[in-house]
Amino acid sequence: MWGKGGQTICVPYGVYPNKPSLVLQPNWSQIYRGEKVTLRCEIQGGTQWTYEWRPTNRNSPSSSEYRINSATDADSGEYSCRGIRDYKLTEWSDSVRLTVKYDDSAPLLLSPVHPVTEGDPVTLSCRDKEQQLLSNVFFYHNDKLLHNDSRGELNISAVSKSDEGFYKCQHSGKDSPRSWMSVRGEEEENI
């Protein structure tokens, strides 16, 4: 700490090994305008954290929850968090991309928010403004149609690195926004 002009400025001087987890509630990254979403920063090992959020704006909280009560296009973007305690910082959490959709008649893709591990099962689905799961949906991977028949879900029994990429769903001729699904190897999981 040092002072300048009567102000005390705290300068972090260390790093905690704890990496925060960023949790979305509800647990999907595509939402319609006007919907509510809460991002929660979870840090293992103690309490009394002050939180820093990205993106930083005048409404960024210093608490563990970042609440968006009525989403607008300005809320779209990458979010991450870190903790500060005793002049030490954690590293930044993995980021989560939030997409706010203005066209209420277009579907939204429900896909994993965080990277998935090779070998794990993954299910993708589509929802509407009323949060109802849609049937008769076409799924695309990197803009390539995956199946010629429509279905309610896309099930991948054991995800592999080749499944990584952009996904979207189509219902009644309308496309959802694209969503990136990241796949990490099992060895990355154990690091």
Side-chain angles (χ1 to χ4, degrees):
M1 291 195 305
W2 53 278
K4 180 180 177 183
Q7 290 183 316
T8 300
I9 300 169
C10 297
V11 179
Y13 62 80
V15 177
Y16 280 105
N18 325 43
K19 184 174 182 176
S21 297
L22 186 53
V23 178
L24 272 176
Q25 186 63 37
N27 191 26
W28 50 72
S29 62
Q30 293 185 8
I31 61 173
Y32 291 102
R33 92 182 136 184
E35 287 188 321
K36 179 180 179 178
V37 65
T38 301
L39 296 97
R40 193 171 59 253
C41 193
E42 297 181 347
I43 303 173
Q44 299 298 317
T47 58
Q48 306 298 320
W49 294 99
T50 300
Y51 296 84
E52 185 177 358
W53 290 89
R54 286 195 293 210
T56 304
N57 62 42
R58 59 185 168 80
N59 297 323
S60 296
S62 59
S63 68
S64 64
E65 289 191 344
Y66 191 120
R67 293 175 193 228
I68 299 170
N69 292 317
S70 183
T72 67
D73 189 47
D75 295 312
S76 289
E78 297 272 341
Y79 288 82
S80 60
C81 65
R82 69 178 174 184
I84 305 167
R85 183 176 73 194
D86 301 328
Y87 308 109
K88 293 182 183 177
L89 302 168
T90 65
E91 60 182 296
W92 286 99
S93 68
D94 291 334
S95 63
V96 169
R97 172 168 289 285
L98 188 64
T99 303
V100 180
K101 183 76 172 163
Y102 271 90
D103 181 358
D104 293 352
S105 65
L108 293 183
L109 179 68
L110 301 182
S111 62
V113 173
H114 296 290
V116 294
T117 303
E118 276 187 299
D120 285 353
V122 172
T123 299
L124 305 179
S125 57
C126 263
R127 75 171 180 102
D128 64 11
K129 174 84 171 145
E130 286 73 43
Q131 299 190 15
Q132 301 296 315
L133 292 181
L134 300 170
S135 55
N136 301 321
V137 174
F138 293 98
F139 289 92
Y140 293 81
H141 177 228
N142 294 327
D143 293 324
K144 181 181 176 215
L145 181 63
L146 292 174
H147 303 280
N148 286 329
D149 60 322
S150 61
R151 53 194 60 216
E153 295 179 329
L154 174 63
N155 293 304
I156 303 171
S157 59
V159 74
S160 67
K161 201 67 173 161
S162 65
D163 294 313
E164 185 169 82
F166 285 103
Y167 286 83
K168 70 178 180 180
C169 60
Q170 184 182 74
H171 179 73
S172 299
K174 295 208 171 204
D175 291 351
S176 71
R178 294 186 334 156
S179 186
W180 179 263
M181 185 174 74
S182 181
V183 178
R184 64 177 170 221
E186 288 184 46
E187 64 280 352
E188 295 175 66
E189 171 85 0
N190 297 323
I191 293 177

